[in-house]
Amino acid sequence: MEEEEYTRRSQRPKKRRLRKGRAIFTFLVLCVIVIAVYSVMQYRSGLQLASDTKVAQEDFTGDQVQGDIENYLLLGVDTRGEEKSRTDTMMVLSWNKTTNDVKLVSFMRDIYADIPGYQSYKLNTAYYLEGVQLLKDTISNMFGLPIHHYALVDFKNFESLVDILAPDGIEMDVEKDMSEKIGVTLTQGVHNLNGQELLGYARFRQDAEGDFGRVARQQKVIEALKNEILAPRNILNLPKFVGAAQGYITTDYSSAGEIQQVLKMVSKGKVSIEKATVPIEGSYDFQNFSHAGSAIVIDQEKNKEFLRKFLGISLE
C-alpha cells in the first residue's frame, strides 16, 4: 500500500512537466500562427498600395549567367506622369553568389555614349529612346559588361517604399544645407529623413560637385537602405515592404524569383557593399556638343580595365 502511494506521488511532477511542456508548445504554435497571419495581411496590404503603379513591365533580354557572378542594372526614373522619361540613377549591382560579395558601380548620366541605332548622346537618353533594353545594350557595348537582370523604380514609388520600411525615417548625415530643385529643405547635420527627404538628398546636385556629388549621395542612400532592410527593428515592416515592392519595383524577375534572390543574399550573412563610379578619376573631360550640350567624354579602355579588375570578371 505504501509502495503504491509512493509511486503515485512520484509520477505527479512528471505529469506537471508534461502539461507545462504542452502549454509552451501550444503558445509557440499560436505565436507562429499570429505572425504568419500578420505577415500575410501586411504583405497583401503592401500589394494593394502598389496596385496602381504606373511603371510598366518592359521586354528585356539579359545576358546568360556564366559563373558565380550576376549583374543587375538598377534604375531610378522620374516619370512625372509622362510617357517617356530619362534615368537619373543608373547603377550596376554585381553579386558574387559564392562569396556573397556585393559591388555597386554608378554610371554618370552625362557620359557621352554610343547608343546603338542612334547618334551618340548622353547615356541617360538611351532609356528615353527605347527603354531598359537599349540602355542595357549601350552599357554592355561600351564596356563589354554582361547584364543579366534589371530593376527599375519610379521616384514617387521610392518615397513610398522608404516610408513603409522606416516610418520614423532613415538616419542620414546631411553634409550641407540643400533645397534647390529637390522639393524639400534639408539642413546640415544628422537627421532622420522620410521618403521625400531621402529622395531629395539623393537628387541634389546644385553645388560644385554637381553630378559626381549626387552619385556619391545615391550610393550612401543605397547603403542606408540595405542597413534598414537588415535591421531587426524593421522586421515587422518587412512583409508590407515586400508586398509593395512587387508593384513599385519593375523587374524581369517573377515575384517569387525576386524574393528568392534577396533571401539567398541575406541568408549568407552580413552583406557589405563596395562602391565605385564610372568614369574613374583621370579618365574623362567635359566637351560641348551642338546636339547634346555639355557631356562627359571618357576613355573607354581605362574604364573598362577598371571594371574588369573591380568586378573580377572578364569583359568582352
Side-chain angles (χ1 to χ4, degrees):
M1 187 70 179
E2 288 181 4
E3 189 174 338
E4 269 184 44
E5 183 66 25
Y6 173 78
T7 302
R8 283 197 296 271
R9 282 199 301 267
S10 65
Q11 287 176 344
R12 284 172 191 163
K14 185 176 182 181
K15 287 181 179 179
R16 282 197 293 270
R17 285 196 298 270
L18 287 172
R19 283 197 292 270
K20 187 176 179 181
R22 285 197 206 100
I24 293 173
F25 177 75
T26 302
F27 175 75
L28 291 175
V29 169
L30 287 173
C31 286
V32 170
I33 292 172
V34 169
I35 292 170
V37 171
Y38 171 84
S39 298
V40 170
M41 290 177 64
Q42 289 297 299
Y43 175 80
R44 289 177 177 172
S45 172
L47 278 177
Q48 183 62 36
L49 279 175
S51 60
D52 62 345
T53 180
K54 296 180 181 178
V55 182
Q57 183 77 34
E58 298 190 33
D59 292 331
F60 178 80
T61 302
D63 297 306
Q64 185 175 0
V65 179
Q66 297 179 347
D68 299 324
I69 294 176
E70 282 192 37
N71 296 326
Y72 302 78
L73 181 60
L74 309 182
L75 305 175
V77 299
D78 184 11
T79 60
R80 301 184 188 182
E82 299 171 355
E83 186 177 344
K84 287 190 171 185
S85 57
R86 287 175 169 79
T87 43
D88 268 16
T89 302
M90 294 175 288
M91 301 177 175
V92 169
L93 184 146
S94 184
W95 175 37
N96 188 313
K97 293 176 288 185
T98 299
T99 63
N100 213 39
D101 290 333
V102 177
K103 297 184 179 181
L104 187 69
V105 181
S106 294
F107 290 85
M108 300 292 293
R109 68 177 197 165
D110 288 344
I111 291 173
Y112 195 61
D114 295 325
I115 301 176
Y118 295 88
Q119 69 181 120
S120 296
Y121 220 95
K122 293 178 181 179
L123 181 59
N124 69 338
T125 304
Y127 178 79
Y128 176 84
L129 293 170
E130 288 189 26
V132 172
Q133 187 66 53
L134 184 59
L135 178 56
K136 179 266 176 200
D137 292 341
T138 301
I139 293 174
S140 292
N141 288 352
M142 286 187 71
F143 303 103
L145 179 62
I147 295 174
H148 308 110
H149 302 284
Y150 85 93
L152 181 151
V153 64
D154 174 74
F155 288 146
K156 289 301 294 181
N157 294 342
F158 172 86
E159 292 178 13
S160 299
L161 284 171
V162 170
D163 290 337
I164 291 169
L165 176 65
D168 296 326
I170 293 179
E171 186 177 288
M172 188 63 60
D173 185 1
V174 180
E175 58 269 23
K176 63 186 71 176
D177 292 349
M178 303 176 184
S179 61
E180 191 175 351
K181 296 183 179 181
I182 60 174
V184 294
T185 298
L186 304 176
T187 56
Q188 184 178 8
V190 178
H191 305 283
N192 279 10
L193 304 184
N194 63 28
Q196 185 181 17
E197 292 166 338
L198 191 66
L199 177 63
Y201 174 79
R203 298 190 70 189
F204 180 76
R205 62 169 180 159
Q206 305 301 316
D207 60 6
E209 294 179 298
D211 268 334
F212 284 91
R214 175 163 67 173
V215 164
R217 282 185 284 277
Q218 289 173 353
Q219 292 179 345
K220 281 178 63 178
V221 167
I222 292 292
E223 182 76 32
L225 285 172
K226 181 263 294 183
N227 292 338
E228 289 294 324
I229 290 171
L230 298 179
R233 65 178 176 275
N234 290 326
I235 192 167
L236 293 179
N237 301 326
L238 285 180
K240 188 174 182 179
F241 174 81
V242 171
Q246 302 308 303
Y248 285 147
I249 298 176
T250 303
T251 176
D252 58 308
Y253 270 119
S254 66
S255 297
E258 182 183 350
I259 295 171
Q260 186 180 35
Q261 288 298 87
V262 173
L263 289 176
K264 279 183 183 177
M265 187 182 297
V266 172
S267 66
K268 292 190 175 183
K270 185 177 179 182
V271 180
S272 59
I273 302 177
E274 191 176 353
K275 297 174 282 290
T277 299
V278 167
I280 59 173
E281 189 173 349
S283 70
Y284 66 91
D285 60 14
F286 289 90
Q287 295 184 25
N288 285 300
F289 299 88
S290 59
H291 65 291
S294 178
I296 303 172
V297 178
I298 70 170
D299 184 323
Q300 285 187 212
E301 289 305 314
K302 275 187 179 180
N303 284 281
K304 186 174 179 179
E305 178 63 14
F306 166 77
L307 286 172
R308 184 185 67 78
K309 292 179 179 178
F310 180 70
L311 300 177
I313 57 176
S314 60
L315 304 178
E316 295 180 0

Short mmCIF file of all heavy atoms in Angstrom, two decimals, residues 184-242:
data_model
loop_
_atom_site.label_atom_id
_atom_site.label_comp_id
_atom_site.label_asym_id
_atom_site.label_seq_id
_atom_site.Cartn_x
_atom_site.Cartn_y
_atom_site.Cartn_z
N VAL A 184 12.36 69.81 -51.25
CA VAL A 184 12.40 69.79 -49.79
C VAL A 184 13.55 70.67 -49.32
O VAL A 184 14.43 71.04 -50.11
CB VAL A 184 12.59 68.37 -49.21
CG1 VAL A 184 11.39 67.50 -49.52
CG2 VAL A 184 13.87 67.73 -49.76
N THR A 185 13.54 71.02 -48.05
CA THR A 185 14.62 71.80 -47.46
C THR A 185 15.33 70.94 -46.41
O THR A 185 14.70 70.48 -45.45
CB THR A 185 14.10 73.09 -46.81
OG1 THR A 185 13.48 73.91 -47.82
CG2 THR A 185 15.24 73.87 -46.16
N LEU A 186 16.62 70.72 -46.62
CA LEU A 186 17.42 69.92 -45.69
C LEU A 186 18.51 70.81 -45.10
O LEU A 186 19.11 71.63 -45.79
CB LEU A 186 18.07 68.74 -46.43
CG LEU A 186 17.13 67.79 -47.19
CD1 LEU A 186 17.93 66.74 -47.93
CD2 LEU A 186 16.15 67.14 -46.23
N THR A 187 18.76 70.62 -43.81
CA THR A 187 19.82 71.38 -43.15
C THR A 187 20.96 70.44 -42.77
O THR A 187 20.77 69.25 -42.57
CB THR A 187 19.28 72.07 -41.88
OG1 THR A 187 18.72 71.08 -41.01
CG2 THR A 187 18.21 73.09 -42.23
N GLN A 188 22.14 71.02 -42.68
CA GLN A 188 23.32 70.23 -42.36
C GLN A 188 23.18 69.55 -41.01
O GLN A 188 22.64 70.10 -40.06
CB GLN A 188 24.56 71.14 -42.35
CG GLN A 188 25.87 70.40 -42.13
CD GLN A 188 27.06 71.35 -42.18
OE1 GLN A 188 26.90 72.56 -42.23
NE2 GLN A 188 28.25 70.79 -42.17
N GLY A 189 23.65 68.30 -40.95
CA GLY A 189 23.60 67.56 -39.70
C GLY A 189 22.99 66.18 -39.88
O GLY A 189 22.60 65.80 -40.98
N VAL A 190 22.93 65.43 -38.80
CA VAL A 190 22.36 64.09 -38.81
C VAL A 190 20.86 64.18 -38.57
O VAL A 190 20.42 64.72 -37.55
CB VAL A 190 23.03 63.18 -37.75
CG1 VAL A 190 22.39 61.80 -37.75
CG2 VAL A 190 24.53 63.08 -38.02
N HIS A 191 20.07 63.65 -39.51
CA HIS A 191 18.62 63.72 -39.40
C HIS A 191 18.01 62.38 -39.81
O HIS A 191 18.60 61.62 -40.57
CB HIS A 191 18.05 64.81 -40.31
CG HIS A 191 18.64 66.17 -40.10
ND1 HIS A 191 18.28 66.97 -39.04
CD2 HIS A 191 19.57 66.86 -40.81
CE1 HIS A 191 18.95 68.11 -39.10
NE2 HIS A 191 19.75 68.07 -40.16
N ASN A 192 16.80 62.12 -39.33
CA ASN A 192 16.00 61.01 -39.82
C ASN A 192 15.16 61.53 -40.98
O ASN A 192 14.27 62.37 -40.78
CB ASN A 192 15.10 60.45 -38.72
CG ASN A 192 15.85 59.51 -37.80
OD1 ASN A 192 17.07 59.41 -37.86
ND2 ASN A 192 15.14 58.82 -36.95
N LEU A 193 15.42 61.05 -42.18
CA LEU A 193 14.77 61.55 -43.38
C LEU A 193 13.63 60.63 -43.80
O LEU A 193 13.81 59.40 -43.85
CB LEU A 193 15.77 61.68 -44.52
CG LEU A 193 17.03 62.53 -44.26
CD1 LEU A 193 17.87 62.63 -45.53
CD2 LEU A 193 16.66 63.93 -43.75
N ASN A 194 12.47 61.21 -44.11
CA ASN A 194 11.39 60.40 -44.68
C ASN A 194 11.64 60.17 -46.17
O ASN A 194 12.67 60.60 -46.71
CB ASN A 194 10.03 61.06 -44.42
CG ASN A 194 9.90 62.43 -45.10
OD1 ASN A 194 10.52 62.71 -46.13
ND2 ASN A 194 9.06 63.29 -44.52
N GLY A 195 10.71 59.51 -46.83
CA GLY A 195 10.94 59.14 -48.22
C GLY A 195 11.19 60.31 -49.13
O GLY A 195 12.13 60.31 -49.94
N GLN A 196 10.39 61.36 -49.01
CA GLN A 196 10.55 62.54 -49.86
C GLN A 196 11.89 63.23 -49.59
O GLN A 196 12.59 63.66 -50.51
CB GLN A 196 9.40 63.51 -49.64
CG GLN A 196 9.43 64.72 -50.57
CD GLN A 196 8.30 65.70 -50.32
OE1 GLN A 196 7.67 65.67 -49.26
NE2 GLN A 196 8.03 66.56 -51.27
N GLU A 197 12.25 63.33 -48.32
CA GLU A 197 13.51 63.99 -47.96
C GLU A 197 14.71 63.17 -48.41
O GLU A 197 15.71 63.73 -48.90
CB GLU A 197 13.55 64.21 -46.45
CG GLU A 197 12.53 65.23 -45.96
CD GLU A 197 12.33 65.19 -44.46
OE1 GLU A 197 12.65 64.15 -43.83
OE2 GLU A 197 11.86 66.20 -43.90
N LEU A 198 14.63 61.85 -48.27
CA LEU A 198 15.74 60.99 -48.68
C LEU A 198 15.94 61.06 -50.18
O LEU A 198 17.07 61.10 -50.67
CB LEU A 198 15.48 59.55 -48.24
CG LEU A 198 16.68 58.59 -48.36
CD1 LEU A 198 17.78 59.00 -47.39
CD2 LEU A 198 16.25 57.15 -48.09
N LEU A 199 14.84 61.10 -50.93
CA LEU A 199 14.94 61.24 -52.38
C LEU A 199 15.55 62.58 -52.74
O LEU A 199 16.42 62.66 -53.62
CB LEU A 199 13.56 61.10 -53.02
CG LEU A 199 13.52 61.30 -54.54
CD1 LEU A 199 14.33 60.23 -55.25
CD2 LEU A 199 12.07 61.30 -55.04
N GLY A 200 15.12 63.65 -52.07
CA GLY A 200 15.69 64.96 -52.32
C GLY A 200 17.18 64.99 -52.05
O GLY A 200 17.96 65.56 -52.83
N TYR A 201 17.59 64.35 -50.95
CA TYR A 201 19.02 64.25 -50.63
C TYR A 201 19.78 63.55 -51.75
O TYR A 201 20.86 63.99 -52.16
CB TYR A 201 19.19 63.50 -49.31
CG TYR A 201 20.62 63.21 -48.95
CD1 TYR A 201 21.44 64.18 -48.39
CD2 TYR A 201 21.17 61.94 -49.18
CE1 TYR A 201 22.77 63.92 -48.07
CE2 TYR A 201 22.50 61.67 -48.86
CZ TYR A 201 23.29 62.66 -48.31
OH TYR A 201 24.60 62.40 -48.02
N ALA A 202 19.22 62.46 -52.25
CA ALA A 202 19.90 61.68 -53.29
C ALA A 202 19.96 62.42 -54.63
O ALA A 202 20.85 62.15 -55.44
CB ALA A 202 19.17 60.34 -53.49
N ARG A 203 19.05 63.34 -54.86
CA ARG A 203 18.98 64.00 -56.16
C ARG A 203 19.68 65.36 -56.20
O ARG A 203 19.87 65.94 -57.27
CB ARG A 203 17.51 64.19 -56.57
CG ARG A 203 16.76 62.89 -56.73
CD ARG A 203 15.41 63.12 -57.36
NE ARG A 203 15.54 63.51 -58.76
CZ ARG A 203 14.53 63.96 -59.52
NH1 ARG A 203 13.34 64.08 -58.99
NH2 ARG A 203 14.74 64.29 -60.77
N PHE A 204 20.08 65.88 -55.05
CA PHE A 204 20.68 67.22 -55.02
C PHE A 204 21.99 67.27 -55.80
O PHE A 204 22.86 66.41 -55.63
CB PHE A 204 20.94 67.64 -53.56
CG PHE A 204 21.56 69.00 -53.43
CD1 PHE A 204 20.79 70.14 -53.60
CD2 PHE A 204 22.91 69.14 -53.15
CE1 PHE A 204 21.36 71.40 -53.49
CE2 PHE A 204 23.49 70.40 -53.03
CZ PHE A 204 22.71 71.53 -53.21
N ARG A 205 22.13 68.30 -56.63
CA ARG A 205 23.39 68.46 -57.38
C ARG A 205 23.75 69.93 -57.62
O ARG A 205 24.60 70.23 -58.46
CB ARG A 205 23.31 67.74 -58.72
CG ARG A 205 22.23 68.25 -59.66
CD ARG A 205 22.41 67.64 -61.04
NE ARG A 205 21.40 68.10 -61.98
CZ ARG A 205 21.54 68.06 -63.30
NH1 ARG A 205 22.65 67.60 -63.83
NH2 ARG A 205 20.57 68.47 -64.08
N GLN A 206 23.10 70.84 -56.90
CA GLN A 206 23.34 72.26 -57.11
C GLN A 206 24.50 72.76 -56.25
O GLN A 206 24.35 73.62 -55.39
CB GLN A 206 22.06 73.05 -56.83
CG GLN A 206 20.85 72.60 -57.61
CD GLN A 206 21.06 72.67 -59.11
OE1 GLN A 206 21.60 73.66 -59.61
NE2 GLN A 206 20.63 71.64 -59.83
N ASP A 207 25.66 72.16 -56.46
CA ASP A 207 26.87 72.61 -55.77
C ASP A 207 28.07 72.37 -56.68
O ASP A 207 27.91 71.94 -57.84
CB ASP A 207 27.03 71.91 -54.42
CG ASP A 207 27.15 70.40 -54.55
OD1 ASP A 207 27.21 69.89 -55.69
OD2 ASP A 207 27.18 69.71 -53.51
N ALA A 208 29.25 72.61 -56.18
CA ALA A 208 30.46 72.49 -57.01
C ALA A 208 30.70 71.06 -57.48
O ALA A 208 31.32 70.83 -58.52
CB ALA A 208 31.68 73.00 -56.23
N GLU A 209 30.22 70.07 -56.74
CA GLU A 209 30.45 68.67 -57.10
C GLU A 209 29.52 68.20 -58.22
O GLU A 209 29.81 67.22 -58.90
CB GLU A 209 30.24 67.77 -55.88
CG GLU A 209 31.27 67.99 -54.79
CD GLU A 209 30.99 67.09 -53.60
OE1 GLU A 209 29.91 67.23 -53.00
OE2 GLU A 209 31.85 66.24 -53.29
N GLY A 210 28.39 68.90 -58.40
CA GLY A 210 27.47 68.55 -59.47
C GLY A 210 27.00 67.10 -59.42
O GLY A 210 26.67 66.58 -58.35
N ASP A 211 27.00 66.45 -60.58
CA ASP A 211 26.52 65.06 -60.66
C ASP A 211 27.41 64.08 -59.91
O ASP A 211 26.93 63.05 -59.45
CB ASP A 211 26.42 64.63 -62.14
CG ASP A 211 25.02 64.90 -62.70
OD1 ASP A 211 24.07 64.92 -61.90
OD2 ASP A 211 24.90 65.09 -63.91
N PHE A 212 28.69 64.39 -59.79
CA PHE A 212 29.58 63.47 -59.06
C PHE A 212 29.19 63.42 -57.58
O PHE A 212 29.20 62.35 -56.96
CB PHE A 212 31.04 63.91 -59.22
CG PHE A 212 31.61 63.59 -60.57
CD1 PHE A 212 31.54 64.50 -61.60
CD2 PHE A 212 32.20 62.36 -60.80
CE1 PHE A 212 32.06 64.20 -62.85
CE2 PHE A 212 32.73 62.04 -62.06
CZ PHE A 212 32.65 62.96 -63.08
N GLY A 213 28.82 64.57 -57.01
CA GLY A 213 28.34 64.57 -55.63
C GLY A 213 27.02 63.85 -55.50
O GLY A 213 26.79 63.15 -54.51
N ARG A 214 26.15 64.02 -56.49
CA ARG A 214 24.86 63.34 -56.43
C ARG A 214 25.04 61.83 -56.48
O ARG A 214 24.38 61.10 -55.73
CB ARG A 214 23.97 63.79 -57.60
CG ARG A 214 22.67 63.02 -57.64
CD ARG A 214 21.62 63.68 -58.48
NE ARG A 214 21.94 63.71 -59.89
CZ ARG A 214 21.08 64.13 -60.82
NH1 ARG A 214 19.88 64.55 -60.47
NH2 ARG A 214 21.43 64.14 -62.09
N VAL A 215 25.92 61.34 -57.34
CA VAL A 215 26.15 59.90 -57.42
C VAL A 215 26.68 59.36 -56.10
O VAL A 215 26.27 58.29 -55.64
CB VAL A 215 27.13 59.58 -58.58
CG1 VAL A 215 27.70 58.17 -58.43
CG2 VAL A 215 26.43 59.73 -59.93
N ALA A 216 27.58 60.10 -55.45
CA ALA A 216 28.10 59.67 -54.14
C ALA A 216 26.96 59.60 -53.12
O ALA A 216 26.90 58.66 -52.31
CB ALA A 216 29.18 60.63 -53.66
N ARG A 217 26.03 60.54 -53.16
CA ARG A 217 24.91 60.51 -52.22
C ARG A 217 23.95 59.36 -52.54
O ARG A 217 23.39 58.74 -51.63
CB ARG A 217 24.17 61.86 -52.24
CG ARG A 217 24.88 62.95 -51.46
CD ARG A 217 24.08 64.23 -51.39
NE ARG A 217 24.12 64.96 -52.65
CZ ARG A 217 25.11 65.78 -53.00
NH1 ARG A 217 26.13 65.98 -52.19
NH2 ARG A 217 25.07 66.41 -54.16
N GLN A 218 23.75 59.09 -53.80
CA GLN A 218 22.91 57.95 -54.18
C GLN A 218 23.47 56.64 -53.62
O GLN A 218 22.73 55.77 -53.15
CB GLN A 218 22.79 57.87 -55.70
CG GLN A 218 21.94 58.97 -56.30
CD GLN A 218 21.97 58.98 -57.82
OE1 GLN A 218 22.73 58.24 -58.45
NE2 GLN A 218 21.14 59.81 -58.43
N GLN A 219 24.79 56.51 -53.66
CA GLN A 219 25.41 55.31 -53.12
C GLN A 219 25.26 55.25 -51.60
O GLN A 219 25.05 54.16 -51.03
CB GLN A 219 26.89 55.28 -53.52
CG GLN A 219 27.10 55.07 -55.02
CD GLN A 219 28.57 55.06 -55.40
OE1 GLN A 219 29.43 55.47 -54.63
NE2 GLN A 219 28.86 54.59 -56.60
N LYS A 220 25.34 56.40 -50.93
CA LYS A 220 25.10 56.43 -49.49
C LYS A 220 23.67 55.99 -49.16
O LYS A 220 23.43 55.28 -48.18
CB LYS A 220 25.34 57.85 -48.94
CG LYS A 220 26.79 58.21 -48.73
CD LYS A 220 26.93 59.64 -48.25
CE LYS A 220 26.27 59.88 -46.89
NZ LYS A 220 26.46 61.26 -46.40
N VAL A 221 22.74 56.41 -49.99
CA VAL A 221 21.33 56.05 -49.77
C VAL A 221 21.12 54.55 -49.95
O VAL A 221 20.41 53.91 -49.16
CB VAL A 221 20.42 56.85 -50.73
CG1 VAL A 221 19.01 56.26 -50.76
CG2 VAL A 221 20.37 58.32 -50.31
N ILE A 222 21.74 53.96 -50.97
CA ILE A 222 21.64 52.52 -51.18
C ILE A 222 22.18 51.76 -49.97
O ILE A 222 21.58 50.79 -49.49
CB ILE A 222 22.41 52.09 -52.45
CG1 ILE A 222 21.71 52.64 -53.70
CG2 ILE A 222 22.53 50.57 -52.53
CD1 ILE A 222 20.37 52.03 -53.99
N GLU A 223 23.31 52.21 -49.43
CA GLU A 223 23.91 51.58 -48.25
C GLU A 223 22.97 51.70 -47.05
O GLU A 223 22.76 50.73 -46.30
CB GLU A 223 25.24 52.25 -47.93
CG GLU A 223 25.98 51.66 -46.74
CD GLU A 223 26.66 50.34 -47.05
OE1 GLU A 223 27.09 50.15 -48.20
OE2 GLU A 223 26.73 49.49 -46.15
N ALA A 224 22.37 52.88 -46.87
CA ALA A 224 21.45 53.08 -45.75
C ALA A 224 20.20 52.21 -45.89
O ALA A 224 19.72 51.64 -44.90
CB ALA A 224 21.06 54.56 -45.67
N LEU A 225 19.68 52.08 -47.09
CA LEU A 225 18.51 51.24 -47.32
C LEU A 225 18.82 49.78 -47.02
O LEU A 225 18.01 49.05 -46.42
CB LEU A 225 18.02 51.40 -48.75
CG LEU A 225 17.27 52.69 -49.08
CD1 LEU A 225 17.03 52.79 -50.58
CD2 LEU A 225 15.94 52.74 -48.33
N LYS A 226 19.99 49.34 -47.45
CA LYS A 226 20.40 47.96 -47.17
C LYS A 226 20.44 47.71 -45.67
O LYS A 226 19.94 46.68 -45.18
CB LYS A 226 21.76 47.70 -47.81
CG LYS A 226 22.30 46.28 -47.61
CD LYS A 226 23.28 46.17 -46.45
CE LYS A 226 24.54 46.93 -46.68
NZ LYS A 226 25.51 46.75 -45.56
N ASN A 227 21.00 48.66 -44.92
CA ASN A 227 21.08 48.50 -43.46
C ASN A 227 19.69 48.47 -42.82
O ASN A 227 19.45 47.73 -41.86
CB ASN A 227 21.91 49.64 -42.87
CG ASN A 227 23.38 49.55 -43.24
OD1 ASN A 227 23.87 48.48 -43.60
ND2 ASN A 227 24.08 50.67 -43.20
N GLU A 228 18.78 49.28 -43.34
CA GLU A 228 17.42 49.31 -42.80
C GLU A 228 16.68 48.00 -43.05
O GLU A 228 15.95 47.50 -42.21
CB GLU A 228 16.63 50.48 -43.40
CG GLU A 228 17.06 51.85 -42.92
CD GLU A 228 16.79 52.08 -41.45
OE1 GLU A 228 15.76 51.59 -40.94
OE2 GLU A 228 17.62 52.75 -40.81
N ILE A 229 16.87 47.43 -44.23
CA ILE A 229 16.21 46.17 -44.57
C ILE A 229 16.70 45.05 -43.65
O ILE A 229 15.92 44.17 -43.24
CB ILE A 229 16.47 45.81 -46.05
CG1 ILE A 229 15.69 46.77 -46.96
CG2 ILE A 229 16.05 44.37 -46.35
CD1 ILE A 229 16.04 46.63 -48.42
N LEU A 230 17.97 45.09 -43.28
CA LEU A 230 18.54 44.03 -42.45
C LEU A 230 18.41 44.31 -40.94
O LEU A 230 18.71 43.43 -40.14
CB LEU A 230 20.03 43.86 -42.79
CG LEU A 230 20.36 43.44 -44.23
CD1 LEU A 230 21.87 43.34 -44.41
CD2 LEU A 230 19.70 42.11 -44.57
N ALA A 231 17.93 45.51 -40.59
CA ALA A 231 17.85 45.87 -39.17
C ALA A 231 16.71 45.13 -38.48
O ALA A 231 15.58 45.14 -38.97
CB ALA A 231 17.66 47.38 -39.03
N PRO A 232 16.97 44.48 -37.33
CA PRO A 232 15.92 43.75 -36.59
C PRO A 232 14.72 44.63 -36.23
O PRO A 232 13.59 44.16 -36.17
CB PRO A 232 16.64 43.26 -35.34
CG PRO A 232 18.08 43.18 -35.73
CD PRO A 232 18.29 44.33 -36.69
N ARG A 233 14.95 45.92 -36.00
CA ARG A 233 13.84 46.81 -35.58
C ARG A 233 12.77 46.97 -36.67
O ARG A 233 11.64 47.38 -36.38
CB ARG A 233 14.39 48.20 -35.20
CG ARG A 233 15.00 48.96 -36.37
CD ARG A 233 15.48 50.34 -35.95
NE ARG A 233 16.15 51.04 -37.05
CZ ARG A 233 17.42 50.89 -37.36
NH1 ARG A 233 18.18 50.08 -36.63
NH2 ARG A 233 17.96 51.55 -38.37
N ASN A 234 13.13 46.66 -37.91
CA ASN A 234 12.17 46.83 -39.01
C ASN A 234 11.52 45.53 -39.45
O ASN A 234 10.83 45.50 -40.47
CB ASN A 234 12.87 47.48 -40.22
CG ASN A 234 13.24 48.92 -39.96
OD1 ASN A 234 12.52 49.64 -39.26
ND2 ASN A 234 14.37 49.35 -40.50
N ILE A 235 11.71 44.47 -38.68
CA ILE A 235 11.24 43.15 -39.12
C ILE A 235 9.72 43.13 -39.32
O ILE A 235 9.21 42.47 -40.23
CB ILE A 235 11.69 42.06 -38.13
CG1 ILE A 235 11.44 40.67 -38.75
CG2 ILE A 235 10.99 42.20 -36.78
CD1 ILE A 235 12.12 39.56 -37.99
N LEU A 236 8.98 43.88 -38.48
CA LEU A 236 7.52 43.89 -38.62
C LEU A 236 7.07 44.67 -39.85
O LEU A 236 5.93 44.51 -40.31
CB LEU A 236 6.88 44.49 -37.37
CG LEU A 236 7.01 43.66 -36.09
CD1 LEU A 236 6.35 44.39 -34.91
CD2 LEU A 236 6.40 42.28 -36.26
N ASN A 237 7.95 45.52 -40.38
CA ASN A 237 7.59 46.31 -41.56
C ASN A 237 7.90 45.58 -42.86
O ASN A 237 7.43 45.99 -43.92
CB ASN A 237 8.34 47.65 -41.55
CG ASN A 237 8.05 48.47 -40.31
OD1 ASN A 237 6.94 48.43 -39.79
ND2 ASN A 237 9.03 49.21 -39.83
N LEU A 238 8.70 44.52 -42.77
CA LEU A 238 9.18 43.86 -43.98
C LEU A 238 8.08 43.23 -44.83
O LEU A 238 8.11 43.35 -46.07
CB LEU A 238 10.25 42.82 -43.64
CG LEU A 238 11.62 43.39 -43.27
CD1 LEU A 238 12.59 42.26 -42.95
CD2 LEU A 238 12.19 44.25 -44.40
N PRO A 239 7.08 42.53 -44.25
CA PRO A 239 6.05 41.94 -45.12
C PRO A 239 5.33 42.96 -45.99
O PRO A 239 5.12 42.74 -47.18
CB PRO A 239 5.10 41.27 -44.12
CG PRO A 239 5.94 41.00 -42.91
CD PRO A 239 6.89 42.15 -42.83
N LYS A 240 4.96 44.10 -45.39
CA LYS A 240 4.29 45.15 -46.17
C LYS A 240 5.24 45.74 -47.21
O LYS A 240 4.85 46.04 -48.34
CB LYS A 240 3.79 46.24 -45.23
CG LYS A 240 2.90 47.28 -45.90
CD LYS A 240 2.33 48.23 -44.86
CE LYS A 240 1.40 49.26 -45.50
NZ LYS A 240 0.83 50.18 -44.49
N PHE A 241 6.50 45.91 -46.81
CA PHE A 241 7.52 46.44 -47.74
C PHE A 241 7.70 45.51 -48.93
O PHE A 241 7.73 45.96 -50.08
CB PHE A 241 8.84 46.61 -46.98
CG PHE A 241 10.00 47.01 -47.85
CD1 PHE A 241 10.17 48.33 -48.20
CD2 PHE A 241 10.92 46.07 -48.29
CE1 PHE A 241 11.25 48.72 -49.01
CE2 PHE A 241 11.98 46.43 -49.09
CZ PHE A 241 12.15 47.76 -49.45
N VAL A 242 7.80 44.21 -48.68
CA VAL A 242 7.97 43.24 -49.76
C VAL A 242 6.75 43.24 -50.68
O VAL A 242 6.88 43.20 -51.90
CB VAL A 242 8.22 41.83 -49.18
CG1 VAL A 242 8.19 40.78 -50.29
CG2 VAL A 242 9.56 41.78 -48.45
#
